[in-house]
């Protein structure tokens, strides 16, 4: 299955973006239901709504594969109803896929003990996710883009500049990453995981400038990302978070509220205004 990046116009449709879910399917369904996007059975009720996920469906929570199954089903149901569902690939999906493909194979002779399987366990890997991962899940996941645009927002999973390692524009970057995922080069897979696990590029005194450079290069007027938990950035407990975190002079919006640590599963309508 090739890279799936449909061209759709969401200018006239309600558009939402969802932060990291990390296996918390019930929290995701409840959050979507609050916005009328799914019904009490967890089926699509959003009509022509456009719904984006920034990735990290798996690890750290009880039912990562269940989350993937839900999103895959909603994608089909939304298309039948005139809506649209798409998801980015998160670094935890790459970690799970790498563990599935390479297991305990050492990354390089000079890095004894460094394997996908070991890193997956250290980073919240769940045995049930690996056990229930099927070929249909793998084929769907490796066809996800790593970045996209929605309502002139640049959607990323990770708050990092490392995406630019694979190209100068979104199409080139997505194609290059898809090429890595279609191959069996262990070191390239590890480099993909390593780079997309970095964070905090848009924080601090130079953060706004970094965000501006990213937007100038890849397009958009605001970056929306998951990956870095809001509570860690603002000095609050996860359960005290109630909405996204706007920073870097308003050019960046963080939407990972740390559901795995007791925070909410954020479903944010774009454009967001506090």
């Amino acid at each position: 299955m090739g890279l799936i990046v449909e061209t759709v116009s969401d200018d006239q449709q309600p558009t939402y973006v969802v932060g990291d879910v990390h296996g918390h399917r019930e929290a995701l369904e409840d959050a979507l239901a609050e916005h009328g996007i799914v019904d009490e059975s967890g089926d699509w009720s959003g009509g022509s709504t456009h719904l984006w996920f920034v990735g990290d469906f798996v690890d750290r929570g009880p039912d990562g594969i269940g989350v993937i199954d839900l999103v895959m089903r909603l994608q089909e149901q939304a298309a039948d109803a005139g809506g649209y569902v798409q998801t980015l690939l998160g670094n935890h999906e790459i970690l799970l896929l790498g563990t599935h493909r390479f297991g305990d194979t050492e990354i390089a002779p000079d890095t004894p003990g460094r394997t996908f399987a070991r890193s997956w366990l250290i980073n919240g890997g769940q045995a049930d996710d690996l056990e229930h991962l099927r070929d249909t899940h793998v084929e769907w996941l490796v066809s996800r883009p790593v970045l996209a645009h929605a309502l002139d927002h640049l959607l990323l999973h990770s708050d990092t500049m490392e995406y630019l390692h694979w190209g100068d524009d979104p199409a080139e970057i997505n194609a290059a990453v898809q090429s890595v995922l279609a191959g069996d080069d262990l070191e390239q897979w590890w480099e993909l995981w390593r780079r997309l696990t970095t964070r905090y590029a848009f924080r601090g005194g130079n953060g706004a400038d970094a965000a501006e450079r990213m937007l100038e290069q890849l397009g958009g007027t605001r970056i929306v990302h998951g990956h870095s938990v809001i509570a860690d950035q603002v000095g609050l407990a996860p359960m005290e978070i109630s909405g996204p975190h706007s920073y870097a002079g308003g050019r960046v919006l963080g939407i990972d509220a740390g559901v795995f640590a007791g925070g909410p599963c954020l479903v944010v309508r774009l454009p967001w205004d506090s």
Side-chain angles (χ1 to χ4, degrees):
M1 182 182 294
L3 180 66
I4 306 298
V5 188
E6 298 99 338
T7 300
V8 295
S9 174
D10 45 22
D11 291 346
Q12 305 301 319
Q13 309 301 335
T15 300
Y16 294 84
V17 62
V18 183
D20 304 33
V21 182
H22 281 303
H24 289 76
R25 176 173 176 157
E26 291 185 6
L28 172 60
E29 288 189 358
D30 289 345
L32 293 173
E34 288 180 8
H35 291 275
I37 298 171
V38 303
D39 60 23
E40 61 183 13
S41 299
D43 290 315
W44 183 262
S45 59
S48 62
T49 293
H50 288 189
L51 180 65
W52 287 86
F53 294 84
V54 297
D56 274 10
F57 296 137
V58 299
D59 298 343
R60 297 179 176 164
D63 193 11
I65 300 302
V67 173
I68 293 173
D69 284 335
L70 171 63
V71 176
M72 291 176 69
R73 189 182 81 240
L74 291 178
Q75 189 172 58
E76 294 181 357
Q77 293 176 343
D80 291 340
Y84 179 77
V85 173
Q86 178 60 291
T87 174
L88 304 183
L89 192 69
N91 65 309
H92 280 266
E93 278 78 58
I94 296 169
L95 187 55
L96 177 66
L97 291 167
T99 302
H100 172 72
R101 179 166 297 199
F102 301 108
D104 277 317
T105 303
E106 292 185 346
I107 305 303
D110 59 347
T111 57
R114 181 177 293 180
T115 70
F116 267 105
R118 183 172 183 270
S119 292
W120 171 71
L121 286 172
I122 291 171
N123 287 277
Q126 302 293 304
D128 283 350
D129 287 352
L130 192 60
E131 179 182 349
H132 294 111
L133 186 68
R134 301 288 180 261
D135 288 346
T136 53
H137 300 129
V138 173
E139 292 171 1
W140 185 79
L141 287 170
V142 299
S143 69
R144 301 303 97 194
V146 291
L147 53 81
H149 290 98
L151 287 183
D152 204 29
H153 292 64
L154 175 62
L155 307 185
L156 311 172
H157 173 71
S158 305
D159 46 327
T160 181
M161 303 282 287
E162 293 292 335
Y163 292 92
L164 299 176
H165 172 76
W166 292 284
D168 297 323
D169 61 68
E172 183 179 2
I173 293 167
N174 283 324
V177 170
Q178 197 274 336
S179 179
V180 172
L181 296 174
D184 290 311
D185 189 314
L186 174 55
E187 292 189 15
Q188 287 189 12
W189 271 75
W190 183 261
E191 186 75 353
L192 177 62
W193 146 253
R194 186 189 66 79
R195 288 182 180 272
L196 293 190
T197 302
T198 60
R199 64 180 80 239
Y200 299 149
F202 312 121
R203 288 179 60 179
N206 297 320
D209 289 340
E212 189 64 35
R213 291 197 302 274
M214 194 78 162
L215 291 166
E216 288 179 355
Q217 181 68 50
L218 299 179
T221 59
R222 194 182 211 180
I223 293 168
V224 179
H225 71 83
H227 188 53
S228 293
V229 177
I230 295 169
D232 295 339
Q233 300 198 63
V234 300
L236 295 174
M239 59 283 299
E240 296 180 85
I241 302 300
S242 59
H245 173 46
S246 177
Y247 67 107
R251 305 309 299 273
V252 183
L253 193 68
I255 61 169
D256 179 5
V259 63
F260 68 92
C265 180
L266 288 185
V267 178
V268 179
R269 184 163 181 174
L270 298 180
W272 182 81
D273 187 345
S274 61

